[in-house]
Amino acid sequence: MRPLPRPTALSRPFWDGCLDGRLLVQRCSSCARCFFIPSVFCPHCLDTDYEWVESSGRGHVVTYTVVWRPPTPAFDPPYVVAVVQLEEGYEMFTNIVGAEPDADLIGAAVQVRFHRESEEIALPFFELAPATGLRP
Amino acid sequence: MRSRQAVIVGAFNTRQARRLDGETSDTVTSAAIRGALGDAGLDVADVTGVNVLPGLDYQNGSRKFGYAMGIPYFWAGRAMPGAASVLEAATAIEAGVTDVVVLAAGEAGIHQDAASTAPWTRPSNEFIECWGLMTPAEFALSAKEYMHRFSVDPAKVAHVAAVIRNNGARNPEAVYYGRGPFSAEDILASRMVADPYHLLDCATTAEGGSALVLTTAERARDLPGVAVAVLGGGSESWGPSYTHPPTYERVGMLGRDAADRAFARAGIAREDVDVFELYDNFSWEIIRYFEAFRYCGVGEGPDFVAGGAIEVTGRYPVVTDGGTMSHSHTGESQRIQRVVQAVRQLRGSSAANQLPDPRVALVAALGDVVLLGRQDSR
């Protein structure tokens, strides 16, 4: 089984959101920009006031790689590791599920799909968004 | 020459092998230090500063070794091994902070689990570990994006790996001595690790230690060997890897400002460089360096490295010992190996692939750059 996150006090709202099927992100109360991974201050303006808001869960693939030699036997290759940029402007690592290994995914529209891994953890995978095609 | 001009007076690699039975990170690191001091003609009692990284002991390596070497008080460098630690030590020496510095690292006995990739490729945190990320996948992300953007023929990237591995195949000190020659087609035929990187596009893993000794040019006049001057350098970081996505936009130009500063400080031109000892952890990185360092335009690197340009007989020879792909990759000390090889080229003492009379070497690893020059006026 793949290694699962051990939430911290800072990241707990994010992971609790995943369990609820909601992709949460911090939004700066000062400059209103969203940021990820969880931080105690806004990387854009350094303000420490933020709120957790729900992301649309939609975005596009900035880049990706198909992994054929996993770091440990806990992973079942091939699988797609990607950087997804969400509509709110922040980026995150994820796995793209349901895509053919030889598909060109750069620019592809994707949406979050949660998968329950344990009692405490659901992971935010992404899948190709239906019928939207490539990012304009 | 600058006052207190920093020079490298000792450079040494221990034997490198896939396994060094009975050795530990401490034993290979200490052997490398003895070798480098011997090469310099100096003694432990001469050392006033250290930056030592045994294995993956990032916190305490320098203090442990400084103490173990019996130095009562010592300057402790904190930069990562290789171009970064050379620049930091040279800066400290030129500023009068310390006089004789040992830089060392080594690794043995850490990578024992053949079912998993090397431990240094699997850093853990809650936002990457669950996605099966490791170093080749990290570096593949920017390479993939670049190759997509510029419609790069994979054979042009594979060519880089073939050149480097062929350098190592000719080097009797390389772990993969005699393994080759390779063509770009051979690289592409090896199994995929993380697209676009095949097995032979990637660094290997091995064991061994490497060390350097730096001091002032004044002090070097009394020493037996050929000194190599640290002409200039630069050091750039972009943020915590393995945490934030290394997109091409983020990492593509890493080292450009460092190179600009290195050349400005050295007072030399790009074309004055005779040899490029670059950190070759993945094949496309070599193309990235030449673009970031302004040797060619962005997107032109695949053609820039084509043909014989980066071979030992070319105008821009790279990684002349075989690098991390063929010579050795030891966790962290492989970045010191790049400096050791540059010093040996400039001294005319390379174990293989010796260039005819090189005078200036560029050493780089990620965002760290140093320019090294042979000292002729002694």
Side-chain angles (χ1 to χ4, degrees):
Chain A
M1 180 173 168
R2 67 176 69 212
L4 295 180
R6 293 171 297 280
T8 63
L10 179 63
S11 68
R12 174 67 68 184
F14 175 83
W15 295 115
D16 283 351
C18 290
L19 272 181
D20 290 344
R22 302 195 306 149
L23 189 68
L24 300 187
V25 64
Q26 288 166 291
R27 184 171 66 194
C28 176
S29 302
S30 175
C31 74
R33 296 176 72 173
C34 292
F35 52 92
F36 188 81
I37 60 175
S39 170
V40 294
F41 60 87
C42 169
H44 307 293
C45 73
L46 307 187
D47 201 292
T48 53
D49 283 338
Y50 60 83
E51 57 183 338
W52 288 95
V53 299
E54 184 168 358
S55 162
S56 71
R58 292 190 298 267
H60 70 272
V61 175
V62 178
T63 187
Y64 72 100
T65 178
V66 183
V67 177
W68 294 84
R69 195 311 186 203
T72 71
F75 292 88
D76 186 22
Y79 57 93
V80 178
V81 173
V83 178
V84 166
Q85 184 177 101
L86 279 297
E87 287 180 337
E88 293 81 7
Y90 68 96
E91 292 175 345
M92 60 186 295
F93 282 125
T94 186
N95 289 162
I96 307 292
V97 294
E100 295 298 321
D102 58 349
D104 179 6
L105 297 176
I106 289 183
V110 290
Q111 62 191 26
V112 69
R113 190 175 99 184
F114 295 99
H115 185 263
R116 187 73 172 257
E117 303 285 334
S118 72
E119 285 295 304
E120 296 83 22
I121 292 294
L123 291 177
F125 293 84
F126 280 73
E127 62 186 359
L128 294 175
T132 53
L134 293 182
R135 182 170 62 113
Chain B
M1 191 198 304
R2 298 196 285 261
S3 172
R4 292 187 63 85
Q5 164 75 56
V7 296
I8 300 172
V9 293
F12 187 81
N13 294 328
T14 68
R15 188 169 80 86
Q16 311 284 316
R18 293 198 67 183
R19 287 281 183 278
L20 292 170
D21 289 334
E23 302 283 355
T24 67
S25 296
D26 283 358
T27 63
V28 294
T29 302
S30 61
I33 292 172
R34 285 195 304 277
L37 284 170
D39 182 48
L42 289 166
D43 187 76
V44 171
D46 296 309
V47 177
T48 64
V50 297
N51 183 346
V52 182
L53 175 50
L56 303 177
D57 184 3
Y58 297 98
Q59 294 302 316
N60 295 310
S62 289
R63 282 183 288 178
K64 181 170 94 173
F65 265 78
Y67 183 87
M69 290 161 71
I71 314 170
Y73 305 109
F74 45 87
W75 173 84
R78 287 165 175 84
M80 288 292 279
S85 65
V86 167
L87 176 61
E88 183 193 42
T91 305
I93 287 168
E94 295 194 7
V97 173
T98 188
D99 295 322
V100 175
V101 177
V102 165
L103 306 176
E107 177 273 317
I110 290 180
H111 182 17
Q112 301 285 7
D113 175 12
S116 300
T117 57
W120 52 83
T121 69
R122 296 182 277 119
S124 70
N125 79 59
E126 61 182 323
F127 295 104
I128 66 156
E129 199 177 21
C130 55
W131 303 122
L133 263 167
M134 76 300 194
T135 307
E138 281 259 344
F139 279 83
L141 290 168
S142 50
K144 179 86 176 172
E145 195 176 351
Y146 174 95
M147 291 172 69
H148 183 273
R149 184 177 299 186
F150 296 104
S151 302
V152 178
D153 178 356
K156 291 185 176 179
V157 177
H159 168 70
V160 173
V163 169
I164 293 170
R165 288 178 176 277
N166 292 343
N167 287 349
R170 293 188 292 268
N171 180 2
E173 296 182 2
V175 172
Y176 292 92
Y177 174 54
R179 210 69 87 76
F182 294 95
S183 65
E185 290 69 31
D186 296 328
I187 307 298
L188 294 175
S190 62
R191 65 182 168 83
M192 194 66 93
V193 173
D195 171 35
Y197 288 139
H198 307 76
L199 182 69
L200 296 179
D201 283 302
C202 303
T204 57
T205 59
E207 299 182 340
S210 298
L212 301 162
V213 182
L214 279 75
T215 187
T216 62
E218 291 87 340
R219 181 73 176 268
R221 285 195 199 98
D222 301 327
L223 299 177
V226 176
V228 167
V230 181
L231 302 174
S235 180
E236 289 182 274
S237 298
W238 70 270
S241 53
Y242 305 106
T243 302
H244 296 285
T247 56
Y248 176 70
E249 184 176 339
R250 262 195 202 101
V251 303
M253 289 299 118
L254 181 63
R256 168 165 283 193
D257 182 66
D260 287 349
R261 290 173 187 275
F263 281 107
R265 172 72 168 166
I268 61 174
R270 260 85 175 158
E271 295 305 314
D272 292 331
V273 176
D274 299 305
V275 61
F276 299 80
E277 300 297 351
L278 307 172
Y279 184 46
D280 60 321
N281 53 350
F282 299 98
S283 50
W284 173 74
E285 290 294 310
I286 302 299
I287 291 170
R288 191 191 72 75
Y289 287 124
F290 280 115
E291 294 186 1
F293 299 166
R294 304 184 197 274
Y295 278 88
C296 60
V298 172
E300 296 171 4
D303 289 331
F304 182 85
V305 302
I310 60 170
E311 293 187 25
V312 173
T313 51
R315 175 63 190 85
Y316 306 97
V318 301
V319 200
T320 59
D321 62 354
T324 69
M325 295 189 188
S326 181
H327 178 259
S328 180
H329 182 304
T330 48
E332 296 292 357
S333 63
Q334 73 280 357
R335 297 195 227 176
I336 295 182
Q337 293 168 29
R338 302 285 74 70
V339 185
V340 170
Q341 179 61 11
V343 169
R344 293 175 70 174
Q345 281 286 358
L346 296 172
R347 286 172 164 179
S349 62
S350 179
N353 304 316
Q354 177 64 52
L355 301 170
D357 198 33
R359 304 179 65 82
V360 177
L362 185 154
V363 181
L366 307 177
D368 298 299
V369 179
V370 286
L371 289 163
L372 306 179
R374 193 176 62 210
Q375 288 285 86
D376 285 328
S377 53
R378 289 168 53 79

